[in-house]
Amino acid sequence: FQVMADLIKLSVFVAPNQPIDPEIAAKVCEAHGFRFEREKREKGGGVHKVEEVIKEPEAPKVEPEDQLKLRPPIITIMGHVDHGKTTLLDKLRNSRVAAGEAGGITQHIGAYQVVHEGHPITFLDTPGHAIFSDMRARGADITDIVVIVVAANDGIMPQTIEAIKHAKAAKKTIIVAITKIDLPAANIMRVKTQLAENGLQTTDFGGDTEFAEVSAYTGEGIDTLLELMALQAEVLELKSNPKGNARAAVIEARIVPGRGASATVIVESGTLKVGAPFICGPFYGKVKGMFNDRGEAVKQAPPGMPVEVIGFDELPNVGDHLSEMKNEREAKALATERQEVQRRQRLAPQHRARMEDLYAMVNEGGGKAQLKLILKCDVQGSVEAIKKAVLAIESKKVECVFITSAAGPITESDIQYASSTDAIVLGFNVKVEGKAVKAAKSEDVQIKLYSIVYELIDQVRDAMLGLLDPLT
Ligand code: GDP
């Protein structure tokens, strides 16, 4: 039963006597302190031979203290639409020109680095919590500090609150940037009061949330904001070993004409070098070339540095890790093995979250199951009312978690988010966008639509109490 529970945690659903993939078996063995060795039966006799198992070099859990060096913080900017995230990112990017850095033309590779008074700071170039959550869901939680942007004229809005929730749930250090302070309608006091009401008390209000009042138009406060980032990075003591085996997270991937599959990665540890063979999820490659955020070719990328890497055999997945391997032969062998595992998983019946099956999983898993929901409603009022009613349902076996909830139609990004978190999408009096319908089909995400509040609540209650008829 313990093994079954472990497998469910790994999202593998099998019957007691069903075979499982060697990679999965290895993971389970490891968790219980065993070493997994694979047997191979030779064709002629019945001789057992242990096959060579190639493993990706793992980042050591504890690095030798003397090898650790400070690394740049990685910053994600979040906040409500139109509050100035993109403009702020541009302004911060341009601030390095003032620092006297030599030319190069800005290239949008998904992240960039600024050097503030000798301290490099790395910014993810895609604002918003979609990428943040997606990367986290894929195990590439690389953000150290979240900057929550609030426009001084507009104050806190629904997406600001979502952003605060995401950052807090991920236990990230938060810095607030109150933007657009150049506007006559700016009301900084009101923003700070609203922030305090949402659990972020700024330092001048007696709290511990650092903040900067900025204008991306006049440039006021930009330096203070950079200063705060450098300071918080120091407090966090972000360190990694630049000498170890190179490991990096993929944040963007694209096909570049003439260069083939390329990806922007942020180096997490070690130093990535041109010529290094690597594995990246189910794909392998060899670093043929690297380019920084100014389009300049670089030979090496130390921790915290974003670089566009060419030399992938196929387009890698965002959120996968690139790991340096000993040689190309091993990288290729491991990639083949991983592709085989994926192929078999694709052929096996999919077990995505279904409201109707939830209760059965409780009995399999032993522990308390989670019903993960993404809720979209016609108006914010119904969002609040439905959430309240659902969270009030008591169940000993199932707990309900709202991954996100908002007013508006069900979009493609809702489906992707549901797919990466294995959530169910509930819609109340809303439409499903065309692209979302397609995505739900291909990602096999369940969407349930309601137009009567109590029907929605009753169904969720029944799911949590095991009263729904299982789907066949
Ligand atoms: P995003 O949706 O959060 O990325 O917001 P944008 O960066 O696209 O900005 C939304 C609008 O606000 C644009 O029209 C910007 O020109 C404007 N804006 C951004 N920053 C400032 C600022 O500091 N002051 C003023 N007055 N307008 C700004």
Side-chain angles (χ1 to χ4, degrees):
F1 270 108
Q2 184 57 48
V3 171
M4 295 285 281
D6 288 350
L7 287 173
I8 287 165
K9 274 190 218 142
L10 294 169
S11 303
V12 179
F13 302 89
V14 284
N17 289 323
Q18 214 173 315
I20 54 172
D21 286 314
E23 235 189 33
I24 305 281
K27 266 195 194 158
V28 176
C29 287
E30 218 168 81
H32 293 277
F34 294 100
R35 213 168 83 87
F36 174 75
E37 287 194 349
R38 209 155 21 140
E39 267 183 7
K40 190 178 176 188
R41 226 175 268 262
E42 301 253 298
K43 266 194 193 131
V47 190
H48 288 69
K49 191 177 146 203
V50 175
E51 198 183 298
E52 179 192 16
V53 179
I54 298 169
K55 278 179 104 183
E56 167 183 336
E58 281 191 21
K61 297 271 175 308
V62 194
E63 293 264 13
E65 188 65 31
D66 57 339
Q67 300 282 319
L68 292 178
K69 297 272 176 316
L70 281 175
R71 64 161 177 84
I74 297 165
I75 314 248
T76 298
I77 297 198
M78 298 198 224
H80 198 73
V81 63
D82 275 348
H83 276 198
K85 298 179 293 291
T86 314
T87 318
L88 182 62
L89 274 162
D90 283 346
K91 189 73 188 171
L92 288 163
R93 182 204 294 269
N94 292 332
S95 69
R96 70 172 165 210
V97 178
E101 272 202 42
I105 300 163
T106 294
Q107 300 287 320
H108 285 269
I109 62 168
Y112 65 85
Q113 211 171 52
V114 166
V115 180
H116 177 73
E117 293 179 355
H119 303 287
I121 302 173
T122 303
F123 292 91
L124 289 183
D125 214 353
T126 321
H129 60 239
I131 177 150
F132 177 77
S133 311
D134 202 36
M135 295 275 290
R136 260 170 57 75
R138 288 163 184 268
D141 187 8
I142 55 169
T143 298
D144 302 304
I145 298 172
V146 172
V147 173
I148 304 268
V149 161
V150 194
N153 59 327
D154 223 9
I156 285 199
M157 299 298 269
Q159 285 167 310
T160 325
I161 295 171
E162 285 291 313
I164 294 173
K165 277 193 206 150
H166 279 285
K168 284 200 165 179
K171 298 199 167 57
K172 300 296 173 192
T173 297
I174 296 175
I175 298 176
V176 172
I178 303 176
T179 53
K180 307 197 191 183
I181 57 163
D182 56 287
L183 289 176
N187 187 343
I188 297 171
M189 276 309 267
R190 186 182 57 146
V191 173
K192 288 179 185 169
T193 311
Q194 291 174 331
L195 282 168
E197 284 163 9
N198 284 281
L200 287 182
Q201 207 158 11
T202 46
T203 47
D204 58 342
F205 271 34
D208 54 9
T209 304
E210 299 289 351
F211 69 99
E213 298 164 12
V214 305
S215 164
Y217 277 15
T218 67
E220 194 182 338
I222 298 292
D223 238 28
T224 314
L225 183 57
L226 284 164
E227 189 77 47
L228 284 175
M229 292 170 189
L231 254 163
Q232 289 300 311
E234 219 168 284
V235 172
L236 289 171
E237 284 199 70
L238 307 167
K239 288 182 176 176
S240 70
N241 179 3
K243 292 215 175 104
N245 202 70
R247 194 175 149 82
V250 176
I251 59 159
E252 266 191 28
R254 60 190 182 130
I255 302 280
V256 183
R259 286 185 185 170
S262 86
T264 298
V265 304
I266 294 189
V267 178
E268 300 174 275
S269 59
T271 297
L272 191 61
K273 300 186 183 96
V274 170
F278 62 78
I279 178 94
C280 186
F283 306 122
Y284 76 103
K286 181 174 172 169
V287 182
K288 283 201 197 122
M290 292 195 290
F291 301 88
N292 67 14
D293 51 2
R294 272 159 284 157
E296 298 156 346
V298 291
K299 289 250 176 307
Q300 300 201 345
M305 181 164 169
V307 275
E308 184 160 26
V309 173
I310 52 173
F312 288 85
D313 69 330
E314 291 206 43
L315 205 60
N317 303 309
V318 169
D320 274 352
H321 290 274
L322 176 154
S323 250
E324 185 181 345
M325 297 284 290
K326 258 195 287 175
N327 54 49
E328 233 172 323
R329 185 183 59 81
E330 287 202 355
K332 188 173 178 182
L334 185 54
T336 312
E337 196 172 310
R338 285 184 177 178
Q339 281 169 22
E340 177 62 16
V341 169
Q342 282 192 344
R343 196 185 61 82
R344 266 180 280 159
Q345 272 169 358
R346 263 199 303 275
L347 292 179
Q350 286 283 314
H351 286 269
R352 300 307 290 262
R354 294 280 180 264
M355 279 226 299
E356 291 75 3
D357 300 337
L358 178 78
Y359 209 73
M361 280 176 50
V362 176
N363 297 332
E364 277 180 48
K368 208 168 179 174
Q370 271 195 344
L371 173 58
K372 296 182 203 152
L373 298 174
I374 290 183
L375 174 67
K376 295 302 283 277
C377 302
D378 49 353
V379 290
Q380 190 61 25
S382 0
V383 176
E384 299 307 328
I386 290 171
K387 264 177 83 170
K388 205 167 154 207
V390 166
L391 291 173
I393 301 171
E394 282 181 27
S395 162
K396 284 202 179 72
K397 298 269 174 86
V398 182
E399 68 175 339
C400 190
V401 193
F402 284 92
I403 304 282
T404 57
S405 55
I410 295 170
T411 62
E412 191 183 11
S413 94
D414 289 327
I415 304 298
Q416 272 152 4
Y417 199 21
S419 165
S420 63
T421 54
D422 209 16
I424 292 160
V425 182
L426 301 184
F428 177 69
N429 276 337
V430 289
K431 287 208 176 72
V432 186
E433 288 183 354
K435 278 188 178 170
V437 174
K438 264 200 200 147
K441 269 207 188 115
S442 66
E443 300 279 319
D444 195 25
V445 166
Q446 188 178 34
I447 302 178
K448 296 218 132 203
L449 299 174
Y450 303 87
S451 54
I452 302 170
V453 173
Y454 69 76
E455 270 186 9
L456 186 158
I457 293 161
D458 279 358
Q459 275 227 336
V460 174
R461 176 184 298 112
D462 287 354
M464 289 172 71
L465 301 177
L467 300 174
L468 291 185
D469 290 332
L471 292 179
T472 44

